Amino acid sequence: MNLYQIDAEIMKLIDYETGEILDWDKLDELNAAKEQKIENIALYIKNLTAEAAALKAEKDAFAERQKAAEKRAEWLKQYLSNALKGEKFKSTRVQISYRKSETLAIEGGVEIPEDFLKYTEPEINKTDLKKAIKDGLLLEGVSIVERQNIQIK
């Protein structure tokens, strides 16, 4: 039975005309079931939160390992390139060759025409705006909304 069903069963035990409880034993049983259901849901949330944190930590560790492996591979490519000095290499297990590519190098202090510049959309700094509102700034359509956030420990 879920919480909604438990609440519905509790409401059935109340006489709407007099407000009298029809079955005290059943009410106690339903309240105990409701408390147990709430506790189980909260414990499940704690487990899911802990699992998510562990997965994030593992993901971060893998990302660090990936970054380190990529940097090491790039360093080794540069090392081989310096050693081969543009010469090709071929064996039964590996082949090294070169291809041409182009990249754009821009020196510092060079003025670039407006046609080649990209601008990003401005972003609202919500932290500073919230502080300003708390300090008395009045802006139409902007207010601080207080919420109740569940905490499970």
Side-chain angles (χ1 to χ4, degrees):
M1 195 179 318
N2 63 35
L3 286 174
Y4 176 77
Q5 292 168 330
I6 292 172
D7 285 341
E9 289 295 318
I10 289 173
M11 294 307 290
K12 288 180 185 176
L13 295 176
I14 300 172
D15 184 344
Y16 290 109
E17 293 178 11
T18 64
E20 181 182 342
I21 305 296
L22 303 175
D23 187 351
W24 282 99
D25 292 335
K26 181 72 174 172
L27 179 64
D28 289 341
E29 182 183 314
L30 287 171
N31 278 331
K34 182 176 180 177
E35 284 183 17
Q36 184 65 47
K37 181 64 81 172
I38 289 170
E39 181 180 27
N40 289 342
I41 292 170
L43 290 171
Y44 185 52
I45 290 168
K46 280 180 69 172
N47 285 341
L48 289 175
T49 304
E51 182 181 5
L55 290 170
K56 182 184 182 318
E58 193 169 336
K59 179 183 77 169
D60 292 345
F62 274 123
E64 278 187 41
R65 287 178 57 191
Q66 175 190 359
K67 191 174 182 180
E70 288 170 348
K71 286 176 100 175
R72 182 72 174 162
E74 195 57 43
W75 183 88
L76 286 170
K77 279 183 189 178
Q78 189 63 46
Y79 178 73
L80 264 183
S81 183
N82 290 341
L84 290 173
K85 295 181 175 77
E87 294 178 25
K88 293 181 181 182
F89 176 86
K90 185 175 183 178
S91 74
T92 56
R93 296 173 52 188
V94 70
Q95 180 177 333
I96 300 172
S97 61
Y98 297 87
R99 65 174 172 79
K100 289 186 180 183
S101 67
E102 295 177 342
T103 187
L104 184 64
I106 302 172
E107 296 177 17
V110 174
E111 259 192 61
I112 306 295
E114 188 77 21
D115 294 348
F116 301 108
L117 299 178
K118 286 194 318 187
Y119 296 96
T120 59
E121 290 292 320
E123 258 184 63
I124 298 172
N125 185 337
K126 290 184 178 182
T127 305
D128 289 348
L129 181 57
K130 180 180 170 185
K131 185 180 180 310
I133 297 292
K134 280 186 171 185
D135 290 343
L137 177 67
L138 297 175
L139 286 176
E140 189 175 328
V142 179
S143 62
I144 295 176
V145 178
E146 193 171 300
R147 294 193 174 135
Q148 293 292 326
N149 297 317
I150 192 167
Q151 298 277 320
I152 299 173
K153 296 182 180 180

